[in-house]
Amino acid sequence: MIADQLILNSKETKTSFEKDKNSERPIRSIAKAVSWRVIGTLDTLIISYFFVEEVILAASIASIDFVTKMILYFFHERFWNKIGWGK
């Protein structure tokens, strides 16, 4: 079944976002990425606080985590957009 989908999808013509109503809008993807990153940062804050027992230090770790992982996620998504597998 997976092989059928890969073969069938590779033969179909690609459509633009405007024509593909099953695709989500970019703003939704951004909102999902930010909301997920907030959850991940809260997790990092709690775990960091558990280990260092200082709110300021734990918040610093979580802040750096938030920024660096958003940047890494952006480049991760750009890389995957270049791969045709599964589209």
Side-chain angles (χ1 to χ4, degrees):
M1 177 155 176
I2 293 173
D4 292 340
Q5 288 297 320
L6 292 173
I7 293 167
L8 291 174
N9 286 340
S10 67
K11 292 180 181 178
E12 293 176 2
T13 57
K14 300 295 180 190
T15 62
S16 66
F17 172 75
E18 291 79 20
K19 293 178 182 177
D20 183 7
K21 299 299 180 186
N22 294 324
S23 180
E24 61 184 28
R25 294 175 187 252
I27 191 72
R28 178 179 162 88
S29 296
I30 292 169
K32 285 169 51 179
V34 170
S35 68
W36 177 247
R37 198 61 245 140
V38 167
I39 292 169
T41 300
L42 288 173
D43 177 58
T44 301
L45 177 65
I46 292 166
I47 292 170
S48 297
Y49 181 74
F50 177 75
F51 284 104
V52 299
E53 298 179 349
E54 292 181 32
V55 174
I56 299 297
L57 183 55
S60 296
I61 293 168
S63 298
I64 292 167
D65 178 71
F66 182 84
V67 172
T68 57
K69 288 195 178 155
M70 286 289 281
I71 293 168
L72 289 171
Y73 181 80
F74 173 81
F75 287 109
H76 177 262
E77 284 294 306
R78 297 291 91 206
F79 174 76
W80 271 98
N81 276 339
K82 293 181 180 185
I83 298 173
W85 178 79
K87 286 187 177 184

